[in-house]
Amino acid sequence: MDTPDFKVRTRAKLADRTMHAVLWLVALTFVGVLLVFVGAILKQGWPELNLHFLTSMPKTLDAGGGIAPELLNSLYLVAISLILALPIGVGAGIYMAEYAGQGRALRFFRLCVETLAATPSIVLALFGMILFVQMMGWSFSIRSGAFTLALLNVPVITRVTEESLRAVPRELIEASYGLGATKLQTILKVALPYAATGILTGVVLTAGRAFGESAILVFTAGTNTSDKFPDFRLSVPGETLSVHLWYVTSDGTLPDASQIAAGTAAVMILVLLVLNLLVRLLDRAIRRRTR
Amino acid sequence: MRSFDTELKNLRDGIMAMAGIAEEMIELTIQALAERASAKAEQVQALDRQLDEWELKLDQLCIDLLALHAPAARDLRLIASSLKIVPELERVGDHCCNIARRTAFVHPPILAGDSLEQLGARTRSMIRRAVDAFVGHDAPLAHAVIQSDDEVDELYGQIYRELLRLMLADPLCIERASHLILVIKNWERIADQATNIAEEVLYILEGRSAKHPYLRGNAVE
Amino acid sequence: MLNPQIPETKPVKLAVRGMNFWYGEKKILHDLSMDIHAERATAIIGPSGCGKSTFLKCFNRIHEVSSQVRVTGDMLMDGVDINRGGIDQVDLRRRVGMVFQKPNPFPRSIYENVAFGPRLFGVRDRATLDDLVEDALRKAALWDEVKDRLKDSATGMSGGQQQRLCIARALAVHPEVLLMDEPCSALDPIATSKIEELIFELKDSLTIVIVTHNMQQAARVSDYTAFFWLGKMVEMDLTERIFTTPRERMTEDYITGRFG
């Protein structure tokens, strides 16, 4: 047999290099877009960022208002919604990964979770308004907002938990059973610790999304804040940063609306950056302990 | 064919070649005794050198096969037994040399009849058949070889007693007769070695030792 | 069942009688019967897919964790059927430990890996745990190498150390039987010989069943060897018999490398 012309390989090599360059460019584009975007927001908002802006109450008609209650409400709402969503989401994720088996029940349950995850937030918002604000009589309040926000969070956490658990190496699960562990012991002592970083990452993504959510909160937590600061009552209205941002720009009664908006946007971006950074650190700490 | 199988074939071929040489040497000793042919005695010495060379070569081959292929079961038995068969064949050569050295001292003949030739021929046949059994995986033949040993022993006994009688009758033949006693002893030893080879063949084929039947049944595990 | 000429002084630990095994609808093992003696190492050899690993896993029912399986026939440990009544899975797996093909330490410290089993069974006392951990690590010939770094992560160890850690982890709950599923297939020759030496020592106090692709390993470490083919047991005998004078042609062909 003749040796074939192996030089055709050069084409494959060329394609390989081209693809490498293309993908690199795509990645670079992403970084570029992000940098321009974050840069623009921070550049506009930076002059507004000062202690006064962060610590004083907003004003309805005059210039010089702050965003203290909005910042607090944002974090507070996200925290409460996570406290509500975590046990349900993680529990459902465990059920789907470990107990539902492979049959119809799992498929049906997954369909439900995915439908819920794909529901537009405005639909959730109206649902939350009808259920919590009107039927439950909670009016526009932190708790109405937190419960509705939790509806947004649960399917994501469920999905992330399930996938993280499925990614736990089979060998570890077998090792645990092999030592005489029960199913519950195996899940609690081996699977969940291993899946923790994955779940944590998912939770933070959820938190970020909830932090930026506006539609749901406009209809459930309201566009006002309590007169007191700080006010941790669950029954008071709880306007968040994103709602505030939307409100000041669309209402137009504030003389310094654009400055307030720029400052609010910058604060939101900064909070998200800090949040992501925190997760990185936490993730690394857990990973070091468990892998 | 795998290289290992090729090497095993080389081992078998080598043992066959050794057997061929040993057989030829026995034949030469028979003729040398009968004809007082010193040339044939010298030929025996030359053939012995070939046997020695084969022994070194096959020993090394066996060791290499053990070291490189970690043989098991029948392969292992074949190689382990070859390591014992090869020295037996080499010893056949040594016995023949011994006989060849004595051809000068046994003339004129003192024994009537062809009992000497018969003894030589039978031992030769035993070597021949033992190696045939090895090559042909022939257990019945190996059993037959082991049985032939009794006939050889009997013939040896007859000649021995005859030689003793001659020595008592005529002191002048003592020197020739004592050389002849050593000659027949050498042949008898060759027959024993054919028996040993046949026992190894049975081990290769059947997987259990055919040696020392009186110990069987209370073997130490 | 084995050759009656061999006086076996050790009692039968595991007895298998007419056992069949299905994965879902697929029948994997056919009419297996064998005796496995206490304080002996029994090797199971055979080509890939012959069912030897599946058979091994039946002894602690580990594949029931993830698959639909069905077993008929008897599998007795000390005379008690392990599939039906008498003993539950969790207790069975405590008594029948397992070492897997790939070292699978938990992503925790060396100490926590070994303490994992005892903790499952409610051992809380620190001193008791310390003793159990040290004892298991010594039995696995690992103590001297790791005694100064028990808090280090197990995943930072070499493959051979990880596998010995997995053995220590299994030993820590004082099993009566140790199943080993090709325990050296991912290890280099030096690590392999350490594990083999360990098997040799462990069988003084344990029943060992080892599945291996490496026939020389079976020859080196085991007292009995069973040859499996297509889910059936072709032959089982003393290891030295299997490797010098097997009775079945198929066994002979397999161990001399002339199979198929």
Side-chain angles (χ1 to χ4, degrees):
Chain A
M1 186 180 143
D2 291 333
T3 304
D5 182 12
F6 284 122
K7 267 184 279 181
V8 289
R9 290 285 297 152
T10 53
R11 273 176 57 193
K13 281 186 203 162
L14 187 68
D16 186 52
R17 277 196 209 113
T18 311
M19 203 58 208
H20 191 121
V22 167
L23 292 174
W24 190 79
L25 269 174
V26 169
L28 198 69
T29 312
F30 259 98
V31 174
V33 167
L34 185 75
L35 281 180
V36 169
F37 176 73
V38 171
I41 291 174
L42 287 183
K43 190 171 163 243
Q44 278 188 45
W46 194 254
E48 316 301 326
L49 293 187
N50 51 53
L51 205 60
H52 173 77
F53 182 66
L54 290 176
T55 56
S56 48
M57 303 292 283
K59 295 190 170 158
T60 29
L61 296 169
D62 311 321
I67 56 160
E70 281 80 10
L71 181 54
L72 177 71
N73 286 341
S74 284
L75 299 173
Y76 192 40
L77 263 165
V78 167
I80 296 171
S81 75
L82 282 181
I83 288 170
L84 292 171
L86 260 179
I88 299 170
V90 170
I94 292 173
Y95 172 78
M96 286 174 73
E98 307 285 346
Y99 289 94
Q102 296 292 334
R104 246 193 232 163
L106 179 70
R107 280 201 298 275
F108 177 71
F109 202 80
R110 185 167 289 150
L111 184 72
C112 297
V113 171
E114 273 162 15
T115 308
L116 195 57
T119 307
S121 62
I122 187 69
V123 175
L124 285 180
L126 295 174
F127 173 79
M129 188 170 78
I130 293 166
L131 183 68
F132 300 116
V133 176
Q134 296 172 357
M135 289 173 69
M136 306 279 288
W138 287 353
S139 73
F140 293 114
S141 63
I142 301 252
R143 63 183 165 190
S144 299
F147 272 82
T148 317
L149 212 47
L151 288 180
L152 182 80
N153 294 344
V154 162
V156 184
I157 294 177
T158 302
R159 200 61 212 255
V160 164
T161 304
E162 186 195 351
E163 307 227 311
S164 302
L165 284 174
R166 286 194 191 280
V168 177
R170 232 186 106 74
E171 297 89 53
L172 294 185
I173 303 296
E174 281 186 335
S176 173
Y177 280 116
L179 289 165
T182 61
K183 184 162 196 160
L184 185 63
Q185 284 173 322
T186 301
I187 291 169
L188 293 181
K189 290 179 159 234
V190 177
L192 273 181
Y194 193 93
T197 65
I199 296 174
L200 184 75
T201 309
V203 167
V204 169
L205 288 174
T206 314
R209 206 176 133 199
F211 186 79
E213 179 58 43
S214 53
I216 286 180
L217 297 171
V218 168
F219 289 99
T220 55
T223 53
N224 291 308
T225 64
S226 164
D227 298 335
K228 275 194 347 183
F229 180 83
D231 192 343
F232 289 103
R233 281 176 301 163
L234 295 173
S235 55
V236 296
E239 189 195 39
T240 63
L241 285 176
S242 53
V243 173
H244 190 58
L245 181 58
W246 166 77
Y247 190 73
V248 295
T249 45
S250 59
D251 187 48
T253 53
L254 282 178
D256 58 349
S258 63
Q259 283 96 321
I260 298 278
T264 306
V267 169
M268 285 182 73
I269 289 286
L270 285 175
V271 169
L272 284 175
L273 283 178
V274 168
L275 202 62
N276 275 313
L277 210 68
L278 261 178
V279 168
R280 282 291 150 87
L281 292 176
L282 205 59
D283 181 81
R284 199 176 299 169
I286 295 180
R287 214 174 273 266
R288 194 173 301 143
R289 223 165 52 83
T290 60
R291 294 205 188 170
Chain B
M1 195 186 237
R2 298 187 315 161
S3 67
F4 181 54
D5 287 333
T6 314
E7 297 287 13
L8 287 182
K9 186 172 180 302
N10 290 343
L11 179 60
R12 285 172 187 283
D13 290 349
I15 287 176
M16 274 165 68
M18 282 186 82
I21 296 168
E23 233 188 302
E24 193 184 341
M25 288 171 77
I26 300 170
E27 182 59 35
L28 283 170
T29 57
I30 297 169
Q31 291 172 12
L33 274 177
E35 300 161 16
R36 198 183 181 178
S38 62
K40 291 195 166 148
E42 277 163 28
Q43 237 177 308
V44 169
Q45 308 287 345
L47 286 172
D48 188 50
R49 192 187 152 84
Q50 285 186 28
L51 267 189
D52 290 350
E53 284 167 356
W54 268 114
E55 184 190 23
L56 292 180
K57 222 193 299 186
L58 295 183
D59 275 356
Q60 190 59 47
L61 179 57
C62 288
I63 296 294
D64 289 350
L65 287 173
L66 287 173
L68 302 181
H69 296 275
R74 66 188 127 132
D75 298 339
L76 176 63
R77 300 202 299 270
L78 170 66
I79 294 167
S81 289
S82 296
L83 273 171
K84 297 195 237 171
I85 291 172
V86 168
E88 296 287 5
L89 290 171
E90 191 275 334
R91 287 290 291 159
V92 169
D94 293 347
H95 288 307
C96 288
C97 288
N98 243 317
I99 297 171
R101 268 198 297 278
R102 299 185 194 283
T103 52
F105 308 107
V106 296
H107 282 271
I110 51 172
L111 278 170
D114 62 348
S115 54
L116 267 186
E117 283 87 345
Q118 256 192 45
L119 183 63
R122 282 192 189 173
T123 57
R124 200 195 82 163
S125 149
M126 280 179 70
I127 289 287
R128 156 95 277 161
R129 287 183 298 150
V131 175
D132 281 352
F134 171 80
V135 174
H137 308 286
D138 189 340
L141 184 57
H143 281 293
V145 170
I146 293 169
Q147 264 152 29
S148 303
D149 191 43
D150 292 342
E151 297 162 27
V152 168
D153 285 350
E154 200 184 310
L155 188 53
Y156 164 79
Q158 278 173 26
I159 300 173
Y160 180 78
R161 283 189 298 275
E162 176 66 11
L163 288 171
L164 279 188
R165 199 184 55 77
L166 286 170
M167 283 193 277
L168 285 172
D170 177 7
L172 282 179
C173 72
I174 285 181
E175 192 193 353
R176 281 170 287 165
S178 53
H179 278 297
L180 276 177
I181 285 178
L182 291 169
V183 167
I184 60 170
K185 184 71 208 166
N186 277 314
W187 274 332
E188 190 271 334
R189 288 296 305 146
I190 291 174
D192 287 346
Q193 280 161 325
T195 306
N196 291 345
I197 293 172
E199 285 168 350
E200 291 303 329
V201 171
L202 286 176
Y203 173 69
I204 295 173
L205 297 178
E206 295 173 353
R208 58 198 150 75
S209 179
K211 286 187 235 179
H212 316 305
Y214 73 99
L215 287 176
R216 220 164 294 150
N218 48 0
V220 191
E221 280 295 337
Chain C
M1 154 146 316
L2 291 170
N3 197 315
Q5 286 180 8
I6 305 310
E8 174 57 84
T9 54
K10 305 292 183 186
V12 172
K13 181 76 186 175
L14 298 162
V16 181
R17 293 287 178 274
M19 177 232 185
N20 298 284
F21 180 90
W22 290 262
Y23 256 129
E25 291 300 303
K26 196 164 154 34
K27 193 170 181 189
I28 306 286
L29 300 174
H30 308 266
D31 194 28
L32 298 177
S33 295
M34 70 161 74
D35 284 344
I36 291 171
H37 291 270
E39 296 171 33
R40 300 283 187 215
T42 300
I44 302 174
I45 60 171
S48 294
C50 70
K52 55 191 191 301
S53 280
T54 302
F55 179 66
L56 188 77
K57 288 174 178 172
C58 286
F59 286 113
N60 72 349
R61 301 172 64 186
I62 192 89
H63 39 216
E64 290 176 31
V65 168
S66 51
S67 316
Q68 278 293 323
V69 304
R70 189 155 70 87
V71 183
T72 63
D74 296 332
M75 298 184 76
L76 310 173
M77 176 160 65
D78 295 331
V80 177
D81 195 305
I82 62 171
N83 289 309
R84 287 173 287 276
I87 181 167
D88 87 336
Q89 287 180 40
V90 170
D91 189 36
L92 177 69
R93 292 188 193 127
R94 204 277 300 157
R95 291 171 63 189
V96 181
M98 179 135 196
V99 176
F100 297 84
Q101 190 168 355
K102 212 177 114 198
N104 56 353
F106 296 124
R108 300 162 177 239
S109 71
I110 294 168
Y111 183 96
E112 283 304 322
N113 262 278
V114 184
F116 186 90
R119 283 194 205 276
L120 287 179
F121 295 94
V123 179
R124 297 267 175 278
D125 177 54
R126 189 74 194 184
T128 314
L129 276 177
D130 286 353
D131 287 347
L132 284 169
V133 168
E134 178 173 346
D135 181 55
L137 285 170
R138 279 190 193 282
K139 278 191 200 148
L142 196 56
W143 176 252
D144 290 332
E145 287 164 60
V146 302
K147 63 177 178 223
D148 300 321
R149 50 189 186 104
L150 292 173
K151 296 275 168 259
D152 290 6
S153 170
T155 44
M157 305 166 90
S158 74
Q161 287 176 323
Q162 288 189 13
Q163 193 61 301
R164 276 180 287 149
L165 180 67
C166 291
I167 293 174
R169 185 177 63 185
L171 294 176
V173 290
H174 295 177
E176 298 155 36
V177 179
L178 192 61
L179 308 174
M180 306 180 104
D181 187 4
E182 297 184 39
C184 303
S185 61
L187 305 182
D188 66 43
I190 293 170
T192 298
S193 81
K194 280 189 182 160
I195 302 268
E196 288 178 0
E197 238 169 83
L198 196 52
I199 293 172
F200 215 79
E201 282 166 24
L202 289 175
K203 73 183 184 194
D204 281 349
S205 52
L206 277 170
T207 306
I208 291 176
V209 189
I210 176 169
V211 160
T212 176
H213 262 126
N214 179 339
M215 280 181 288
Q216 287 312 307
Q217 178 167 71
R220 286 191 295 265
V221 304
S222 69
D223 302 293
Y224 294 93
T225 298
F227 171 57
F228 275 41
W229 188 64
L230 293 180
K232 298 190 178 87
M233 189 171 83
V234 175
E235 182 172 2
M236 178 174 182
D237 210 330
L238 288 169
T239 296
E240 53 262 40
R241 290 240 184 114
I242 290 284
F243 284 91
T244 58
T245 54
R247 283 167 300 174
E248 299 294 330
R249 179 72 192 206
M250 209 180 269
T251 317
E252 174 111 33
D253 285 349
Y254 184 70
I255 60 173
T256 56
R258 292 179 176 82
F259 198 74

